[in-house]
PDB file of all heavy atoms in Angstrom:
ATOM      1  N   TYR A  19       0.852  -1.231   0.108  1.00 79.00           N
ATOM      2  CA  TYR A  19       0.007  -0.018   0.034  1.00 79.00           C
ATOM      3  C   TYR A  19       0.801   1.229   0.042  1.00 79.00           C
ATOM      4  O   TYR A  19       0.701   2.182  -0.766  1.00 79.00           O
ATOM      5  CB  TYR A  19      -0.882  -0.032   1.253  1.00 79.00           C
ATOM      6  CG  TYR A  19      -1.814   1.177   1.367  1.00 79.00           C
ATOM      7  CD1 TYR A  19      -2.931   1.305   0.582  1.00 79.00           C
ATOM      8  CD2 TYR A  19      -1.488   2.211   2.147  1.00 79.00           C
ATOM      9  CE1 TYR A  19      -3.693   2.505   0.621  1.00 79.00           C
ATOM     10  CE2 TYR A  19      -2.199   3.409   2.311  1.00 79.00           C
ATOM     11  CZ  TYR A  19      -3.347   3.504   1.558  1.00 79.00           C
ATOM     12  OH  TYR A  19      -4.102   4.581   1.627  1.00 79.00           O
ATOM     13  N   GLN A  20       1.855   1.194   0.835  1.00 76.00           N
ATOM     14  CA  GLN A  20       2.744   2.439   0.883  1.00 76.00           C
ATOM     15  C   GLN A  20       3.503   2.672  -0.417  1.00 76.00           C
ATOM     16  O   GLN A  20       3.589   3.697  -0.804  1.00 76.00           O
ATOM     17  CB  GLN A  20       3.739   2.268   2.037  1.00 76.00           C
ATOM     18  CG  GLN A  20       4.659   3.434   2.282  1.00 76.00           C
ATOM     19  CD  GLN A  20       5.620   3.126   3.468  1.00 76.00           C
ATOM     20  OE1 GLN A  20       5.901   1.999   3.785  1.00 76.00           O
ATOM     21  NE2 GLN A  20       6.145   4.205   4.049  1.00 76.00           N
ATOM     22  N   LEU A  21       3.909   1.553  -1.087  1.00 76.00           N
ATOM     23  CA  LEU A  21       4.860   1.642  -2.215  1.00 76.00           C
ATOM     24  C   LEU A  21       3.687   2.089  -3.381  1.00 76.00           C
ATOM     25  O   LEU A  21       4.154   2.961  -4.249  1.00 76.00           O
ATOM     26  CB  LEU A  21       5.481   0.372  -2.627  1.00 76.00           C
ATOM     27  CG  LEU A  21       6.513  -0.073  -1.815  1.00 76.00           C
ATOM     28  CD1 LEU A  21       6.902  -1.548  -2.145  1.00 76.00           C
ATOM     29  CD2 LEU A  21       7.647   0.853  -1.990  1.00 76.00           C
ATOM     30  N   SER A  22       2.618   1.707  -3.447  1.00 75.00           N
ATOM     31  CA  SER A  22       1.677   1.943  -4.465  1.00 75.00           C
ATOM     32  C   SER A  22       1.015   3.392  -4.334  1.00 75.00           C
ATOM     33  O   SER A  22       0.919   3.991  -5.397  1.00 75.00           O
ATOM     34  CB  SER A  22       0.412   0.929  -4.567  1.00 75.00           C
ATOM     35  OG  SER A  22       1.077  -0.310  -4.780  1.00 75.00           O
ATOM     36  N   ASN A  23       0.593   3.724  -3.222  1.00 70.00           N
ATOM     37  CA  ASN A  23      -0.169   4.872  -3.081  1.00 70.00           C
ATOM     38  C   ASN A  23       0.490   6.273  -2.675  1.00 70.00           C
ATOM     39  O   ASN A  23       0.001   7.185  -2.964  1.00 70.00           O
ATOM     40  CB  ASN A  23      -1.295   4.757  -1.937  1.00 70.00           C
ATOM     41  CG  ASN A  23      -2.248   3.598  -2.467  1.00 70.00           C
ATOM     42  OD1 ASN A  23      -2.628   3.585  -3.572  1.00 70.00           O
ATOM     43  ND2 ASN A  23      -2.707   2.840  -1.538  1.00 70.00           N
ATOM     44  N   PHE A  24       1.784   6.104  -2.138  1.00 62.00           N
ATOM     45  CA  PHE A  24       2.471   7.259  -1.686  1.00 62.00           C
ATOM     46  C   PHE A  24       3.456   7.753  -2.740  1.00 62.00           C
ATOM     47  O   PHE A  24       4.160   8.770  -2.647  1.00 62.00           O
ATOM     48  CB  PHE A  24       3.095   7.042  -0.363  1.00 62.00           C
ATOM     49  CG  PHE A  24       2.077   7.055   0.754  1.00 62.00           C
ATOM     50  CD1 PHE A  24       1.914   5.770   1.511  1.00 62.00           C
ATOM     51  CD2 PHE A  24       1.248   8.050   1.048  1.00 62.00           C
ATOM     52  CE1 PHE A  24       1.054   5.603   2.496  1.00 62.00           C
ATOM     53  CE2 PHE A  24       0.261   7.883   2.025  1.00 62.00           C
ATOM     54  CZ  PHE A  24       0.176   6.690   2.724  1.00 62.00           C
ATOM     55  N   SER A  25       3.765   6.858  -3.679  1.00 57.00           N
ATOM     56  CA  SER A  25       4.730   7.205  -4.712  1.00 57.00           C
ATOM     57  C   SER A  25       4.066   7.888  -5.802  1.00 57.00           C
ATOM     58  O   SER A  25       3.122   7.471  -6.399  1.00 57.00           O
ATOM     59  CB  SER A  25       5.419   5.875  -5.217  1.00 57.00           C
ATOM     60  OG  SER A  25       6.269   6.245  -6.299  1.00 57.00           O
ATOM     61  N   GLN A  26       4.564   9.040  -6.205  1.00 55.00           N
ATOM     62  CA  GLN A  26       4.094   9.804  -7.368  1.00 55.00           C
ATOM     63  C   GLN A  26       4.864   9.410  -8.560  1.00 55.00           C
ATOM     64  O   GLN A  26       4.411   9.886  -9.711  1.00 55.00           O
ATOM     65  CB  GLN A  26       4.214  11.336  -7.044  1.00 55.00           C
ATOM     66  CG  GLN A  26       3.564  11.827  -5.839  1.00 55.00           C
ATOM     67  CD  GLN A  26       1.952  11.643  -5.902  1.00 55.00           C
ATOM     68  OE1 GLN A  26       1.393  11.737  -6.872  1.00 55.00           O
ATOM     69  NE2 GLN A  26       1.402  11.214  -4.733  1.00 55.00           N
ATOM     70  N   GLU A  27       5.827   8.684  -8.451  1.00 58.00           N
ATOM     71  CA  GLU A  27       6.614   8.295  -9.540  1.00 58.00           C
ATOM     72  C   GLU A  27       6.599   6.933  -9.998  1.00 58.00           C
ATOM     73  O   GLU A  27       6.224   6.009  -9.219  1.00 58.00           O
ATOM     74  CB  GLU A  27       8.201   8.501  -9.132  1.00 58.00           C
ATOM     75  CG  GLU A  27       8.451   9.783  -8.421  1.00 58.00           C
ATOM     76  CD  GLU A  27       9.682   9.839  -7.749  1.00 58.00           C
ATOM     77  OE1 GLU A  27      10.645   8.832  -7.994  1.00 58.00           O
ATOM     78  OE2 GLU A  27       9.981  10.669  -6.769  1.00 58.00           O
ATOM     79  N   GLN A  28       6.606   6.700 -11.360  1.00 64.00           N
ATOM     80  CA  GLN A  28       6.540   5.434 -11.830  1.00 64.00           C
ATOM     81  C   GLN A  28       8.044   4.941 -11.979  1.00 64.00           C
ATOM     82  O   GLN A  28       8.751   5.404 -12.792  1.00 64.00           O
ATOM     83  CB  GLN A  28       5.880   5.386 -13.224  1.00 64.00           C
ATOM     84  CG  GLN A  28       4.373   5.575 -13.090  1.00 64.00           C
ATOM     85  CD  GLN A  28       3.742   4.450 -12.361  1.00 64.00           C
ATOM     86  OE1 GLN A  28       4.084   3.303 -12.443  1.00 64.00           O
ATOM     87  NE2 GLN A  28       2.580   4.888 -11.522  1.00 64.00           N
ATOM     88  N   ASP A  29       8.446   4.045 -11.088  1.00 72.00           N
ATOM     89  CA  ASP A  29       9.730   3.588 -11.045  1.00 72.00           C
ATOM     90  C   ASP A  29       9.780   2.068 -11.156  1.00 72.00           C
ATOM     91  O   ASP A  29       9.055   1.472 -10.403  1.00 72.00           O
ATOM     92  CB  ASP A  29      10.451   4.165  -9.819  1.00 72.00           C
ATOM     93  CG  ASP A  29      11.973   3.778  -9.769  1.00 72.00           C
ATOM     94  OD1 ASP A  29      12.309   2.581  -9.233  1.00 72.00           O
ATOM     95  OD2 ASP A  29      12.716   4.559 -10.206  1.00 72.00           O
ATOM     96  N   ILE A  30      10.616   1.527 -11.926  1.00 75.00           N
ATOM     97  CA  ILE A  30      10.743   0.156 -12.212  1.00 75.00           C
ATOM     98  C   ILE A  30      11.036  -0.670 -10.845  1.00 75.00           C
ATOM     99  O   ILE A  30      10.464  -1.681 -10.546  1.00 75.00           O
ATOM    100  CB  ILE A  30      11.620  -0.391 -13.253  1.00 75.00           C
ATOM    101  CG1 ILE A  30      11.478  -1.846 -13.622  1.00 75.00           C
ATOM    102  CG2 ILE A  30      13.074   0.012 -12.931  1.00 75.00           C
ATOM    103  CD1 ILE A  30      10.097  -2.203 -14.312  1.00 75.00           C
ATOM    104  N   ASN A  31      11.900   0.003 -10.014  1.00 74.00           N
ATOM    105  CA  ASN A  31      12.352  -0.671  -8.708  1.00 74.00           C
ATOM    106  C   ASN A  31      11.135  -0.797  -7.817  1.00 74.00           C
ATOM    107  O   ASN A  31      10.939  -1.768  -7.088  1.00 74.00           O
ATOM    108  CB  ASN A  31      13.567   0.023  -8.106  1.00 74.00           C
ATOM    109  CG  ASN A  31      14.790  -0.356  -9.021  1.00 74.00           C
ATOM    110  OD1 ASN A  31      15.108  -1.392  -9.308  1.00 74.00           O
ATOM    111  ND2 ASN A  31      15.348   0.736  -9.384  1.00 74.00           N
ATOM    112  N   LEU A  32      10.305   0.231  -7.728  1.00 78.00           N
ATOM    113  CA  LEU A  32       9.114   0.266  -6.822  1.00 78.00           C
ATOM    114  C   LEU A  32       8.050  -0.722  -7.234  1.00 78.00           C
ATOM    115  O   LEU A  32       7.425  -1.455  -6.583  1.00 78.00           O
ATOM    116  CB  LEU A  32       8.618   1.757  -6.742  1.00 78.00           C
ATOM    117  CG  LEU A  32       9.504   2.714  -6.109  1.00 78.00           C
ATOM    118  CD1 LEU A  32       8.719   4.076  -6.058  1.00 78.00           C
ATOM    119  CD2 LEU A  32       9.863   2.357  -4.591  1.00 78.00           C
ATOM    120  N   THR A  33       7.893  -0.797  -8.771  1.00 79.00           N
ATOM    121  CA  THR A  33       7.001  -1.752  -9.199  1.00 79.00           C
ATOM    122  C   THR A  33       7.444  -3.160  -8.903  1.00 79.00           C
ATOM    123  O   THR A  33       6.643  -3.989  -8.518  1.00 79.00           O
ATOM    124  CB  THR A  33       6.873  -1.631 -10.807  1.00 79.00           C
ATOM    125  OG1 THR A  33       6.544  -0.213 -11.109  1.00 79.00           O
ATOM    126  CG2 THR A  33       5.957  -2.662 -11.452  1.00 79.00           C
ATOM    127  N   LYS A  34       8.670  -3.441  -9.001  1.00 80.00           N
ATOM    128  CA  LYS A  34       9.173  -4.754  -8.642  1.00 80.00           C
ATOM    129  C   LYS A  34       8.940  -5.031  -7.180  1.00 80.00           C
ATOM    130  O   LYS A  34       8.724  -6.095  -6.732  1.00 80.00           O
ATOM    131  CB  LYS A  34      10.679  -4.875  -9.020  1.00 80.00           C
ATOM    132  CG  LYS A  34      10.834  -5.005 -10.414  1.00 80.00           C
ATOM    133  CD  LYS A  34      12.399  -5.086 -10.798  1.00 80.00           C
ATOM    134  CE  LYS A  34      12.713  -5.245 -12.278  1.00 80.00           C
ATOM    135  NZ  LYS A  34      14.068  -5.196 -12.626  1.00 80.00           N
ATOM    136  N   ALA A  35       9.243  -4.060  -6.261  1.00 82.00           N
ATOM    137  CA  ALA A  35       8.989  -4.161  -4.925  1.00 82.00           C
ATOM    138  C   ALA A  35       7.657  -4.488  -4.566  1.00 82.00           C
ATOM    139  O   ALA A  35       7.351  -5.313  -3.711  1.00 82.00           O
ATOM    140  CB  ALA A  35       9.449  -2.846  -4.148  1.00 82.00           C
ATOM    141  N   VAL A  36       6.682  -3.893  -5.268  1.00 82.00           N
ATOM    142  CA  VAL A  36       5.270  -4.216  -5.063  1.00 82.00           C
ATOM    143  C   VAL A  36       4.879  -5.680  -5.360  1.00 82.00           C
ATOM    144  O   VAL A  36       4.319  -6.361  -4.697  1.00 82.00           O
ATOM    145  CB  VAL A  36       4.333  -3.122  -5.885  1.00 82.00           C
ATOM    146  CG1 VAL A  36       2.950  -3.697  -5.968  1.00 82.00           C
ATOM    147  CG2 VAL A  36       4.444  -1.826  -5.186  1.00 82.00           C
ATOM    148  N   LEU A  37       5.575  -6.052  -6.543  1.00 82.00           N
ATOM    149  CA  LEU A  37       5.360  -7.469  -6.970  1.00 82.00           C
ATOM    150  C   LEU A  37       5.983  -8.439  -5.971  1.00 82.00           C
ATOM    151  O   LEU A  37       5.322  -9.467  -5.651  1.00 82.00           O
ATOM    152  CB  LEU A  37       5.991  -7.645  -8.269  1.00 82.00           C
ATOM    153  CG  LEU A  37       5.344  -6.883  -9.447  1.00 82.00           C
ATOM    154  CD1 LEU A  37       6.222  -7.197 -10.705  1.00 82.00           C
ATOM    155  CD2 LEU A  37       3.817  -7.388  -9.696  1.00 82.00           C
ATOM    156  N   VAL A  38       7.075  -8.243  -5.286  1.00 83.00           N
ATOM    157  CA  VAL A  38       7.551  -9.158  -4.246  1.00 83.00           C
ATOM    158  C   VAL A  38       6.443  -9.156  -3.037  1.00 83.00           C
ATOM    159  O   VAL A  38       6.326 -10.249  -2.561  1.00 83.00           O
ATOM    160  CB  VAL A  38       8.999  -8.472  -3.808  1.00 83.00           C
ATOM    161  CG1 VAL A  38       9.393  -9.160  -2.415  1.00 83.00           C
ATOM    162  CG2 VAL A  38      10.059  -8.617  -4.772  1.00 83.00           C
ATOM    163  N   CYS A  39       5.988  -7.933  -2.699  1.00 82.00           N
ATOM    164  CA  CYS A  39       5.094  -7.905  -1.619  1.00 82.00           C
ATOM    165  C   CYS A  39       3.815  -8.875  -1.980  1.00 82.00           C
ATOM    166  O   CYS A  39       3.263  -9.614  -1.136  1.00 82.00           O
ATOM    167  CB  CYS A  39       4.570  -6.586  -1.270  1.00 82.00           C
ATOM    168  SG  CYS A  39       5.916  -5.644  -0.516  1.00 82.00           S
ATOM    169  N   LYS A  40       3.343  -8.671  -3.210  1.00 83.00           N
ATOM    170  CA  LYS A  40       2.117  -9.466  -3.678  1.00 83.00           C
ATOM    171  C   LYS A  40       2.453 -10.889  -3.674  1.00 83.00           C
ATOM    172  O   LYS A  40       1.500 -11.659  -3.286  1.00 83.00           O
ATOM    173  CB  LYS A  40       1.760  -8.931  -5.118  1.00 83.00           C
ATOM    174  CG  LYS A  40       0.987  -7.601  -5.016  1.00 83.00           C
ATOM    175  CD  LYS A  40       0.513  -7.282  -6.399  1.00 83.00           C
ATOM    176  CE  LYS A  40      -0.185  -5.870  -6.379  1.00 83.00           C
ATOM    177  NZ  LYS A  40      -0.635  -5.519  -7.702  1.00 83.00           N
ATOM    178  N   LYS A  41       3.562 -11.232  -4.188  1.00 84.00           N
ATOM    179  CA  LYS A  41       3.949 -12.690  -4.310  1.00 84.00           C
ATOM    180  C   LYS A  41       4.032 -13.264  -2.813  1.00 84.00           C
ATOM    181  O   LYS A  41       3.506 -14.496  -2.558  1.00 84.00           O
ATOM    182  CB  LYS A  41       5.260 -12.885  -4.972  1.00 84.00           C
ATOM    183  CG  LYS A  41       5.688 -14.313  -5.144  1.00 84.00           C
ATOM    184  CD  LYS A  41       6.710 -14.405  -6.103  1.00 84.00           C
ATOM    185  CE  LYS A  41       7.268 -15.907  -6.285  1.00 84.00           C
ATOM    186  NZ  LYS A  41       6.358 -16.896  -6.659  1.00 84.00           N
ATOM    187  N   ALA A  42       4.547 -12.575  -1.903  1.00 82.00           N
ATOM    188  CA  ALA A  42       4.666 -13.041  -0.473  1.00 82.00           C
ATOM    189  C   ALA A  42       3.222 -13.160   0.060  1.00 82.00           C
ATOM    190  O   ALA A  42       2.978 -14.235   0.677  1.00 82.00           O
ATOM    191  CB  ALA A  42       5.390 -12.035   0.397  1.00 82.00           C
ATOM    192  N   GLN A  43       2.377 -12.227  -0.286  1.00 81.00           N
ATOM    193  CA  GLN A  43       0.965 -12.386   0.318  1.00 81.00           C
ATOM    194  C   GLN A  43       0.294 -13.661  -0.360  1.00 81.00           C
ATOM    195  O   GLN A  43      -0.414 -14.306   0.284  1.00 81.00           O
ATOM    196  CB  GLN A  43       0.163 -11.164  -0.122  1.00 81.00           C
ATOM    197  CG  GLN A  43       0.493  -9.923   0.700  1.00 81.00           C
ATOM    198  CD  GLN A  43      -0.226  -8.657   0.186  1.00 81.00           C
ATOM    199  OE1 GLN A  43      -1.286  -8.568   0.307  1.00 81.00           O
ATOM    200  NE2 GLN A  43       0.518  -7.751  -0.315  1.00 81.00           N
ATOM    201  N   GLU A  44       0.461 -13.838  -1.666  1.00 84.00           N
ATOM    202  CA  GLU A  44      -0.168 -15.023  -2.344  1.00 84.00           C
ATOM    203  C   GLU A  44       0.437 -16.357  -1.725  1.00 84.00           C
ATOM    204  O   GLU A  44      -0.374 -17.209  -1.431  1.00 84.00           O
ATOM    205  CB  GLU A  44       0.208 -15.036  -3.769  1.00 84.00           C
ATOM    206  CG  GLU A  44      -0.523 -13.844  -4.602  1.00 84.00           C
ATOM    207  CD  GLU A  44      -0.042 -13.678  -5.925  1.00 84.00           C
ATOM    208  OE1 GLU A  44       0.936 -14.479  -6.471  1.00 84.00           O
ATOM    209  OE2 GLU A  44      -0.510 -12.765  -6.725  1.00 84.00           O
ATOM    210  N   GLU A  45       1.703 -16.417  -1.499  1.00 82.00           N
ATOM    211  CA  GLU A  45       2.325 -17.560  -0.920  1.00 82.00           C
ATOM    212  C   GLU A  45       1.680 -17.881   0.513  1.00 82.00           C
ATOM    213  O   GLU A  45       1.302 -19.000   0.881  1.00 82.00           O
ATOM    214  CB  GLU A  45       3.744 -17.534  -0.743  1.00 82.00           C
ATOM    215  CG  GLU A  45       4.391 -17.710  -1.996  1.00 82.00           C
ATOM    216  CD  GLU A  45       5.975 -17.640  -1.880  1.00 82.00           C
ATOM    217  OE1 GLU A  45       6.396 -18.092  -0.797  1.00 82.00           O
ATOM    218  OE2 GLU A  45       6.607 -17.187  -2.805  1.00 82.00           O
ATOM    219  N   ILE A  46       1.402 -16.810   1.362  1.00 77.00           N
ATOM    220  CA  ILE A  46       0.826 -17.000   2.636  1.00 77.00           C
ATOM    221  C   ILE A  46      -0.584 -17.498   2.474  1.00 77.00           C
ATOM    222  O   ILE A  46      -0.957 -18.420   3.137  1.00 77.00           O
ATOM    223  CB  ILE A  46       0.794 -15.619   3.406  1.00 77.00           C
ATOM    224  CG1 ILE A  46       2.306 -15.269   3.798  1.00 77.00           C
ATOM    225  CG2 ILE A  46      -0.040 -15.797   4.643  1.00 77.00           C
ATOM    226  CD1 ILE A  46       2.400 -13.761   4.322  1.00 77.00           C
TER     227      ILE A  46
END
């Protein structure tokens, strides 16, 4: 949520970080 909503920038590293979080949630 923090990475997605507070970032005004489209950055590939932030996008990848969000994907890591989503993958961890899916595994749980």
Side-chain angles (χ1 to χ4, degrees):
Y19 178 80
Q20 184 178 23
L21 291 170
S22 300
N23 294 326
F24 294 115
S25 173
Q26 302 299 320
E27 307 164 21
Q28 290 296 325
D29 185 272
I30 189 69
N31 290 307
L32 294 182
T33 303
K34 288 178 181 178
V36 168
L37 292 175
V38 168
C39 292
K40 286 183 179 182
K41 184 166 176 56
Q43 291 175 65
E44 289 171 5
E45 285 185 33
I46 292 169

